[in-house]
Structures are given as C-alpha cells and as structure tokens.
Amino acid sequence: MAGAGSPNGSVPGSVPGSEATEPASRGWPLWEVFIRARRGLAHNHVGSLHAADAELAMGMARDVYTRRSEGVSIWVVPTASITASSPDEKDAFFASAADKPYRHPTFYDVPAGVKHL
Amino acid sequence: MTQLATTASVPAYVLRLADDALILAQRLGEWSAHAPELEEDVALTNIALDLLGHARMLLSYAGELLGGRTEDDLAFLRDEREFVNCQLVERPNGDFAATVARQLFFAAYQCELYAALGESADATLAAIADRAVKEVSYHRDHAVQWTLRLGDGTPESHRRMQAGVDGLWPYTSELFESDDLLLALVAAGVAVDPVALRPAWSGFLGPVLAEATLTVPETTWAPSGGRRGLHTEDFGLLLAEMQHLHRSHPGASW
C-alpha cells in the first residue's frame, strides 16, 4: 500500500542499536496463551505469541485467539516460566506406566443402578 | 426548527458518523501485512473491521433515510466532495507511532461520542452507538497501551510518538466544531453536541499523555472543512483505492 509510509519504523522493546537489521520480535519475549472456552471448563493451551510485556500480550491474545468468540477468559504466561519435561527422558518418565493396566478403572464392575459414575 | 428540517438533517448527521468510521477503517486496513509485528497486524485490522462494521450499519441507515440508497451506493459511488468525514481520519498512516496517535485521539473522541449517542432520541442511532461503544472502548485501550510504551520508551520511540502527536494534534479541533445542522439536531435530542464532549476528551487524554511523557504542541493552526466536504490532498488517493473495484465492475459481488 502506497500510503503505509514506513511501517516498520518504530520498534519498541528491541535491543537499542539493533533496529536496522533485526526484526522486532527478537527483542520481544514469547508468551503462551491459554483460553477457557466457557465457564466450568479448564483453560486450554491454544498457541503462543510475541509481545513486549504481559499487558500487551493479553491484548494481542484477545486479538489473535478470540476473534471468533473462542473464550471467556485468557491467561498469558511467559514461555520462559514453563518447565517442560524433556523428550530425552520420555522413557524414564512415562514408560513405567505402560505396563500397569490395573491403574485404569476398567477392572471394576459398575453396580447396576449407580448413577453419576 | 421545523420537523421537516430535522427529517432532512438526520441522514446528513448519520453520514458524518458513517464516513468517520469508514475512512478510518480504510486507513487502518492499509496496515494489513505491513504492521511491525504479526500480532499487531491482526490487532490493527481487527480494529479496522470493527469500524467497518459500524460504518456499514450507519451507511445502511443513512441510505434508508435518503430513500432506497444502499450502503454500497454511499460508500463507493460518492465523490470526494460528498464525503463528510473529519480530516483526522483521512490523514496518512505515517509510521506506527503516528497511527497510534491518530487512534488515541479519535478513539477517545468516539468513546465519549457513542456513550452520549446511546441516549439519542433516534432509536436506531442509539442502538448502533450502544453496540459500537464497547468495541471503540477497546480501540481506545489499545491506543493507550501503545502511547504509554512508545512515549515513555526509548529515545527513538519517544521522538516518533511525539512527532505523531505534534503532526495530528491540529486536526483534533475539527472533532469538536459545531454548526447549524448539529445545533438543530442537538436541540431535537438526536445528535450529540461535540463542544460538550471536549472536556471529557481532554480529561482522558491529559493523564495518558503526561504518563507517556508527551506534550501537546502549542499551535493555533486548526484545519477544518471535512464536514463540508473539504479534504486533504491524500484523501483522493484513498478514495481511488477504496472505490476503484466497485466502479470498474458495477454490481460485482462475491
């Protein structure tokens, strides 16, 4: 668009001196976005975005992830605050549960007439 | 004032509101795929779509009052001198800071305007304003957030934000001008008196600008004329881009 002027001119949050060559997102931390679709449900992870701070991340999450009435509540969490399990430790973490089928409630007979079970 | 005068002036007033929303939507749409960040691209075009939605409701209503003209007729088949938007909304986007300054000034004005218009004696206008004020309130918040961060950010962001404020401030005086049409409609309880909106507008902006370490320029230059169809040089280019498809292919639809 001819009228757009110099749209990439202002680069808040980026490292001083790096504006000319680096996209702004290099200076903006990543945030994970969680949305609760309606009351009574848990917040679900829906994606991530770059933002300069929590308040802006919240506004951007609203704009990017709730355009089609997807939610009634939003959480934004700095990606750096999340401690994730390592794929390398997958076996040590999760394999031992695989041969313990008795932990599933499938071996119990549900008595007839019991509601809400 | 006769009833006839009121009847004829309501569509003229609705067109002013409609054109403000339509032209600002078109300007903001220019940021599509050009914003500094993907997330901001979505935010700006969301705001543009909100405004386009308001413009469509208002244009449809104006067309109805004018007797069988459609929203498309009014948006795409009027010439430059027939548009009655204020000049602030047609100003080129400039850099992101200038766009934020324009958003701040205009959304703060529209918030006060629509809140008051919700009490209009014209039930249709009141209903449109009631619906629009929620969205415009978010637009204002978006602009405030960026004004604070750019104004009180780095020396470069401050310089650009101040330049945006300096360049656009003179165009804000037109928002609060009254004229015979407005006086008549205010008396009839249909329109909002723009002069009365100014204290609340200034009261809102003052603390925001102060916190953002921005100053208001001292100037007596107050360009005006949009409500009478007088526009700035850039407006013709905007209209050409907005209208050319419809005019090249009359009646085309998706």
Side-chain angles (χ1 to χ4, degrees):
Chain A
M1 302 264 171
S6 52
N8 291 313
S10 206
V11 190
S14 67
V15 181
S18 68
E19 290 92 334
T21 51
E22 302 213 346
S25 56
R26 301 274 171 88
W28 283 6
L30 195 62
W31 302 77
E32 301 299 325
V33 182
F34 300 78
I35 289 178
R36 181 163 73 182
R38 58 175 199 274
R39 269 179 66 87
L41 295 183
H43 286 73
N44 279 327
H45 184 240
V46 293
S48 58
L49 50 77
H50 288 99
D53 57 44
E55 219 170 346
L56 287 174
M58 181 59 77
M60 286 170 166
R62 178 259 193 200
D63 284 328
V64 175
Y65 291 109
T66 65
R67 288 161 49 86
R68 299 171 190 88
S69 305
E70 287 94 337
V72 294
S73 169
I74 302 175
W75 290 348
V76 289
V77 179
T79 306
S81 302
I82 293 179
T83 307
S85 62
S86 160
D88 298 339
E89 295 164 5
K90 190 160 69 99
D91 284 349
F93 257 56
F94 304 118
S96 73
D99 59 357
K100 297 180 177 65
Y102 49 85
R103 288 181 179 172
H104 293 273
T106 48
F107 298 98
Y108 300 91
D109 290 327
V110 179
V114 175
K115 291 174 183 168
H116 311 303
L117 195 67
Chain B
M1 179 192 61
T2 65
Q3 187 60 39
L4 187 67
T6 313
T7 309
S9 50
V10 171
Y13 178 62
V14 177
L15 269 184
R16 292 181 181 187
L17 303 173
D19 286 351
D20 281 356
L22 177 68
I23 300 306
L24 187 57
Q26 179 70 15
R27 272 290 181 233
L28 288 174
E30 291 174 9
W31 278 108
S32 185
H34 291 264
E37 282 288 319
L38 176 66
E39 290 85 350
E40 199 48 45
D41 206 290
V42 178
L44 288 171
T45 44
N46 263 353
I47 292 171
L49 281 176
D50 286 346
L51 290 166
L52 189 63
H54 309 160
R56 290 189 59 184
M57 289 189 283
L58 291 162
L59 285 173
S60 295
Y61 182 43
E64 192 181 302
L65 294 173
L66 291 167
R69 297 184 74 182
T70 68
E71 53 178 326
D72 281 1
D73 293 341
L74 292 170
F76 299 124
L77 297 178
R78 279 182 299 155
D79 290 331
E80 183 173 344
R81 292 294 296 270
E82 296 169 274
F83 276 83
V84 286
N85 54 282
C86 63
Q87 293 180 358
L88 176 65
V89 296
E90 74 197 41
R91 298 305 298 145
N93 286 335
D95 63 12
F96 182 67
T99 291
V100 167
R102 192 183 58 203
Q103 282 305 107
L104 178 72
F105 296 156
F106 193 72
Y109 156 78
Q110 253 189 339
C111 263
E112 305 298 337
L113 172 70
Y114 284 157
L117 198 60
E119 309 294 316
S120 172
D122 184 306
T124 306
L125 265 186
I128 294 173
D130 266 344
R131 189 178 148 185
V133 74
K134 298 185 200 84
E135 294 177 338
V136 170
S137 158
Y138 178 76
H139 303 170
R140 183 177 70 173
D141 184 55
H142 173 264
V144 167
Q145 298 296 340
W146 276 118
T147 300
L148 295 175
R149 283 159 182 79
L150 295 174
D152 193 18
T154 67
E156 175 68 359
S157 75
H158 175 83
R159 183 186 67 75
R160 286 174 182 264
M161 194 63 225
Q162 185 64 59
V165 167
D166 291 348
L168 291 162
W169 182 262
Y171 291 94
T172 59
S173 69
E174 188 185 13
L175 299 174
F176 307 104
E177 283 176 2
S178 194
D179 59 13
D180 289 345
L181 179 128
L182 279 171
L183 289 174
L185 288 178
V186 169
V190 172
V192 174
D193 180 6
V195 179
L197 297 178
R198 184 148 205 166
W201 181 82
S202 303
F204 178 84
L205 282 189
V208 173
L209 294 174
E211 192 183 339
T213 71
L214 298 165
T215 54
V216 170
E218 285 181 30
T219 175
T220 52
W221 183 54
S224 169
R227 305 298 185 204
R228 287 173 281 122
L230 303 177
H231 297 284
T232 58
E233 192 176 345
D234 304 281
F235 187 56
L237 294 171
L238 178 148
L239 276 195
E241 188 167 292
M242 186 176 83
Q243 296 184 333
H244 91 268
L245 185 71
H246 188 90
R247 292 191 182 220
S248 306
H249 305 277
S253 64
W254 296 113

